[in-house]
Amino acid sequence: MKGYLPKRRIYSTYLARFNYQNVQDKWKNYCFKIRGTRRSFCLDRPHHRHIFWSWCGSFIGIAATAYLSVKTNSPLLMAPFGATSVLIFGIPDSPLAQPRNVIGGNLVAALVSLTILHLFGSEPWAMGMAVATAIGMMQLTATLHPPSGAVALVVMMTKASWQFILTPALEGSIILVLCAVVFNNLAHERTYPKYWF
């Protein structure tokens, strides 16, 4: 029976359901969001003392972690710690730079990505799943730390062992946090951390 219906009637039914105005409004809204809402946004340039303390802290933090890595012959350093240094020394007041987020975020990302690696391997879709799941778990545990997304990728790309959770994720994070506590509090106008847990 359905095959005998006139084609004009079928097309007019579909066209009635398709709302051109609604599609056009959604497209305009989408294009407006892509443009951005402000002309320009940039962080204020910090005082030269702040830059000095950020430089000193990140230098000592990364150098100390690298030195201990060489002396103990264990991999305490990984690329995401460079981004962690930007947060804990450059903007130490940020909620994303607090010890709970640095240590917890790196541990959560390492645990999630190692689990996915050992269950599914390091296929491209598994890499996406590792990063996405790490972000979700960090949000659930209130330990969101942006460089931890890179921790998940490091695990997947290097096919790390379970030892990765301890070294470098936990130990390296603790070293950087301790350096941040020492150096950020030497400056009169800086306080770190805002909270521990």
Side-chain angles (χ1 to χ4, degrees), residues 95-106 138 142-145 148 195:
L96 305 174
Q98 301 310 306
R100 170 191 175 105
N101 297 73
V102 174
I103 297 169
N106 287 336
M138 285 187 288
T143 58
L144 192 63
H145 183 61
S148 297
Y195 55 86

Side-chain angles (χ1 to χ4, degrees), residues 133-167:
T133 308
I135 292 169
M137 291 303 295
M138 285 187 288
Q139 288 175 319
L140 281 174
T141 58
T143 58
L144 192 63
H145 183 61
S148 297
V151 170
L153 277 180
V154 167
V155 167
M156 298 301 284
M157 292 171 69
T158 62
K159 298 179 177 83
S161 69
W162 288 100
Q163 180 66 29
F164 188 91
I165 293 174
L166 182 61
T167 306

Side-chain angles (χ1 to χ4, degrees), residues 4 8 12 19 25 47 55 57 59 61 63 76-77 82 100 103 115 122 148 150 165-166 169 173 184 195-196:
Y4 296 110
R8 188 180 315 150
S12 65
N19 186 345
D25 290 343
H47 192 273
W55 186 91
F59 172 77
L76 296 172
L77 199 59
R100 170 191 175 105
I103 297 169
T115 303
S122 61
S148 297
I165 293 174
L166 182 61
S173 298
N184 284 327
Y195 55 86
W196 283 95

Side-chain angles (χ1 to χ4, degrees), residues 168-188:
L170 177 62
E171 293 174 355
S173 298
I174 290 172
I175 292 168
L176 284 177
V177 165
L178 291 176
C179 288
V181 168
V182 170
F183 283 95
N184 284 327
N185 291 311
L186 286 176
H188 178 69

